[in-house]
Amino acid sequence: MIDVRAITFDTYGTLVDWRSSVLAELTAFGVTHGLRVDWVAFLDDWKAGYRPGMDDVNAGRRPWTTVDALYRERLDALLAARGLASLAPEAIDHLARVWHRLRPWPDTVAGLQRLKRRYVITPLSNASFAGMVHLAKFAGLPWDCIITAENARAYKPEPVVYRTAIELLGLRAEHVLMAAAHNYDLAAAQAAGMRTAFIPRPHEYGPGQTTDLAPAGKWDVVVDSVEELAAALGA
Amino acid sequence: MIDVRAITFDTYGTLVDWRSSVLAELTAFGVTHGLRVDWVAFLDDWKAGYRPGMDDVNAGRRPWTTVDALYRERLDALLAARGLASLAPEAIDHLARVWHRLRPWPDTVAGLQRLKRRYVITPLSNASFAGMVHLAKFAGLPWDCIITAENARAYKPEPVVYRTAIELLGLRAEHVLMAAAHNYDLAAAQAAGMRTAFIPRPHEYGPGQTTDLAPAGKWDVVVDSVEELAAALGA
């Protein structure tokens, strides 16, 4: 029924557990520097700066800016608000790059390795291109190539991001499957003519997550892991 | 003296032996279809269409066109000139994609694997993005990412191609090393501020090759193989 040649993956949340990875580094950062900070609230604040920054780019209110720069701006502001801006610059630089050091979910690497034998596999993330390269090296994600929002200089769910990926892959849209843990991403991919696979990650946002627990559209595939996606696609 | 973080590789000629690979397929194609053709001359003609097509794009005389399309145009013209345009379309389609099925030089894969442990490694080729993905899968090139002329919608040696790679890698130009078997490519990379490594491939064009046998500029590194490049860079 579906004839897939390539699979594009959302990455933060879908393939890597950003929340527990970043919380672990923030906590260690606090111990190293003798800080008393509510790191759960700090991370919530940090992550909350992500979407408005991207929306500003998509709306033309600011020029193209990578998420690395957006996260860095927000981090500097959060540290300043807590009187922590005078920490060693190298320590802050290192912390800012924590988004390149995120652990994969347990099924991610094995599932991607299976899929790679039969399909072209690539991220299609709002990460920076370089950030996605570094994350792949850190987490062992065996991509065939890297495609991110930076290749389109716009952020998902702008249609041009999906169109750019389809064009770079040299395929018709219906031969490309978007896999994501987020319904909004799949809705945009489907609108661009792509096939869709929903892989819910009910713990992405920690305990008490209320969003993206179930499919909110007619997705082609709904599975609980990347390994199940491989099985569903015969890989 | 040089502080390299990422290495961009020319691919056709530098990493893969396009000539013997394509000649072998052309010869087999001739046997399968019972054709009497001088395949060496045919390949010379085919390859000769490559640079003028790219120059037309760079000069704005034609819109962005992938090398896959340029090679296909030329192949159709060459077959037609020999009265062979009526061969099965699937056979011609398959032959046209021979540029995605090129054998690496003996030192290529081992050298890249060593370099990948310490550096970000990517092609920076005039190939199409999808073509480079397929070639990597065929030849086992263990890239961290794929960057080609298609990401800049212009062909080497246009400066924008090198600038696009540097920007996507998120690095300063002097931290990116261009490795190539072709002096013109290194001259353009150096002009863009990149470091340069010359890896001559004296048999790329077959017996009697007269070009690119020796360095024609002050390149940072001159070595005879990708494995020697890895050794020179401490990888």
Side-chain angles (χ1 to χ4, degrees):
Chain A
M1 204 179 87
I2 68 174
D3 176 12
V4 170
R5 315 278 172 88
I7 308 172
T8 59
F9 283 90
D10 175 61
T11 302
Y12 297 149
T14 301
L15 298 181
V16 296
D17 177 7
W18 57 267
R19 187 173 185 277
S20 79
S21 304
V22 177
L23 262 183
E25 285 218 26
L26 284 170
T27 304
F29 181 83
V31 170
T32 300
H33 297 279
L35 310 175
R36 287 187 167 275
V37 172
D38 176 349
W39 293 116
V40 171
F42 187 98
L43 176 54
D44 283 347
D45 269 5
W46 196 4
K47 183 75 176 172
Y50 175 65
R51 191 72 247 174
M54 297 191 297
D55 289 343
D56 284 348
V57 169
N58 281 349
R61 288 188 295 267
R62 65 184 291 177
W64 169 251
T65 310
T66 64
V67 291
D68 294 337
L70 296 174
Y71 273 131
R72 180 56 193 257
E73 281 176 13
R74 184 81 168 190
L75 175 62
D76 288 340
L78 291 174
L79 290 174
R82 285 164 178 78
L84 304 175
S86 61
L87 289 166
E90 307 76 41
I92 299 177
D93 288 348
H94 183 77
L95 181 61
R97 288 193 298 270
V98 66
W99 299 97
H100 305 169
R101 297 186 299 269
L102 306 175
R103 289 188 295 265
W105 299 109
D107 54 280
T108 293
V109 174
L112 291 179
Q113 284 168 339
R114 283 174 63 179
L115 287 164
K116 181 173 178 155
R117 291 200 293 267
R118 183 154 172 180
Y119 302 98
V120 169
I121 58 168
T122 178
L124 184 56
S125 166
N126 278 336
S128 71
F129 188 88
M132 199 74 339
V133 171
H134 291 298
L135 178 62
K137 281 178 108 77
F138 176 85
L141 309 179
W143 299 124
D144 286 310
C145 57
I146 301 281
I147 305 175
T148 84
E150 188 169 357
N151 293 101
R153 297 175 79 86
Y155 286 106
K156 295 189 293 183
E158 279 295 304
V160 68
V161 182
Y162 306 89
R163 286 201 307 266
T164 297
I166 293 161
E167 184 175 358
L168 287 174
L169 292 167
L171 294 170
R172 295 216 307 269
E174 65 264 34
H175 292 148
V176 184
L177 176 78
M178 180 79 211
H182 310 121
N183 285 288
Y184 90 96
D185 200 354
L186 298 181
Q190 191 173 67
M194 298 168 77
R195 298 296 182 166
T196 50
F198 183 56
I199 309 173
R201 296 297 191 180
H203 306 299
E204 175 186 358
Y205 283 91
Q209 177 171 330
T210 58
T211 56
D212 287 317
L213 299 176
K218 293 186 100 170
W219 314 137
D220 295 292
V221 181
V222 177
V223 289
D224 283 320
S225 70
V226 184
E227 290 200 81
E228 281 185 33
L229 180 62
L233 296 175
Chain B
M1 204 179 87
I2 68 173
D3 176 13
V4 170
R5 314 278 173 88
I7 308 172
T8 59
F9 283 89
D10 175 61
T11 302
Y12 297 148
T14 301
L15 298 181
V16 297
D17 178 8
W18 57 266
R19 187 174 184 276
S20 80
S21 304
V22 178
L23 263 183
E25 284 218 26
L26 284 170
T27 304
F29 180 84
V31 171
T32 300
H33 297 279
L35 312 175
R36 287 185 167 276
V37 172
D38 176 350
W39 293 116
V40 170
F42 188 97
L43 176 53
D44 284 347
D45 269 4
W46 198 4
K47 182 75 176 172
Y50 176 66
R51 190 73 246 176
M54 296 191 296
D55 290 342
D56 284 347
V57 169
N58 282 348
R61 288 188 295 268
R62 65 184 290 178
W64 169 252
T65 310
T66 65
V67 292
D68 294 337
L70 295 174
Y71 273 131
R72 180 56 193 258
E73 280 177 15
R74 184 82 168 189
L75 175 63
D76 287 341
L78 291 173
L79 291 173
R82 285 162 177 79
L84 303 175
S86 61
L87 290 167
E90 307 75 42
I92 299 177
D93 288 347
H94 183 76
L95 181 61
R97 288 193 299 270
V98 67
W99 299 97
H100 305 169
R101 296 186 300 269
L102 307 175
R103 289 187 296 265
W105 299 108
D107 54 281
T108 293
V109 174
L112 291 179
Q113 284 169 337
R114 284 173 63 180
L115 287 164
K116 181 174 178 155
R117 290 200 292 267
R118 182 153 172 181
Y119 302 100
V120 170
I121 58 168
T122 177
L124 184 55
S125 166
N126 278 335
S128 71
F129 188 88
M132 198 75 339
V133 170
H134 292 298
L135 178 62
K137 281 178 108 76
F138 177 84
L141 308 180
W143 299 124
D144 286 310
C145 57
I146 301 281
I147 305 175
T148 84
E150 189 169 356
N151 293 102
R153 297 176 79 87
Y155 285 106
K156 295 188 293 181
E158 280 294 304
V160 69
V161 182
Y162 305 89
R163 284 200 308 265
T164 297
I166 293 161
E167 183 175 358
L168 287 174
L169 292 168
L171 294 170
R172 294 216 307 268
E174 65 264 34
H175 293 149
V176 185
L177 176 79
M178 180 79 210
H182 310 121
N183 285 289
Y184 90 95
D185 201 353
L186 298 181
Q190 190 173 66
M194 297 168 79
R195 298 296 182 166
T196 50
F198 182 56
I199 309 174
R201 295 297 192 182
H203 306 298
E204 175 185 359
Y205 283 90
Q209 178 171 327
T210 57
T211 57
D212 288 318
L213 299 176
K218 294 186 98 168
W219 313 138
D220 296 293
V221 181
V222 177
V223 288
D224 282 322
S225 70
V226 184
E227 290 200 81
E228 283 185 31
L229 179 63
L233 296 175

